Amino acid sequence: MEIKIKYFADITPIDFIEGNKSDWIDLRSAEDVTLKAGEFKLIKLGVGMKLPDGYEAHVVPRSSTFKNFGIIQANSMGVIDETYCGDDDQWRFPAIALRDTVIHKDDRICQFRIMAHQPPINFVKVDKLESQNRGGFGSTGKK
């Protein structure tokens, strides 16, 4: 798959490394950011892309984002569809700081992957699902 990418800042180019530990691709802050606990900022990621028709990008924090920077993603997961592809459509990370923090330009703060759109679904109403109950949330135990 080939995807057109525009860089809005002088950051390390992103790359997909086949056979790497994960198929998620890291994204970096395109700016220096200082946040106080409780502050919100849309952090520029320095890239925009023209995704193929029928595809979207799922953007989430890296596993170390909170540990390293004390930020969480405001919307839990971002979805960027193929229509967000204008010449000024720079990707951003909606961050909420839970402690005072500094993020430097080129720090890896989130990751994304490209996914096909969900196929059309036809919901069929039934009176019974005819499967065994699992027992509710947290029913499988701690260990």
Side-chain angles (χ1 to χ4, degrees):
M1 178 181 294
E2 188 173 282
I3 295 177
K4 293 179 182 178
I5 184 169
K6 176 183 176 180
Y7 287 93
F8 292 84
D10 184 23
I11 56 173
T12 301
I14 64 172
D15 196 14
F16 176 73
I17 302 169
E18 193 169 347
N20 202 1
K21 293 179 186 177
S22 171
D23 60 355
W24 289 82
I25 303 163
D26 289 341
L27 291 168
R28 299 167 182 270
S29 176
E31 58 187 336
D32 290 330
V33 175
T34 300
L35 293 169
K36 299 283 185 198
E39 288 185 331
F40 169 82
K41 179 163 178 68
L42 286 170
I43 300 173
K44 295 176 183 176
L45 297 173
V47 296
M49 297 181 206
K50 172 65 177 123
L51 301 177
D53 288 344
Y55 286 85
E56 61 196 24
H58 294 180
V59 181
V60 299
R62 297 179 72 237
S63 60
S64 62
T65 297
F66 181 75
K67 176 184 68 127
N68 291 338
F69 305 107
I71 60 173
I72 58 173
Q73 188 169 352
N75 56 347
S76 299
M77 181 182 96
V79 177
I80 301 172
D81 68 34
E82 75 273 23
T83 66
Y84 191 70
C85 60
D87 205 39
D88 293 323
D89 288 339
Q90 179 173 185
W91 291 15
R92 297 169 194 260
F93 181 82
I96 298 173
L98 298 185
R99 61 174 159 83
D100 294 357
T101 190
V102 175
I103 300 163
H104 296 100
K105 182 178 178 181
D106 221 32
D107 281 345
R108 293 179 298 155
I109 60 171
C110 59
Q111 59 190 339
F112 79 101
R113 69 183 327 174
I114 306 297
M115 303 291 293
H117 286 194
Q118 181 169 276
I121 296 173
N122 181 31
F123 292 98
V124 178
K125 182 180 176 183
V126 296
D127 291 326
K128 291 184 151 215
L129 294 177
E130 300 178 5
S131 295
Q132 183 177 357
N133 290 335
R134 279 202 36 198
F137 291 98
S139 62
T140 60
K142 291 184 178 179
K143 296 181 182 190

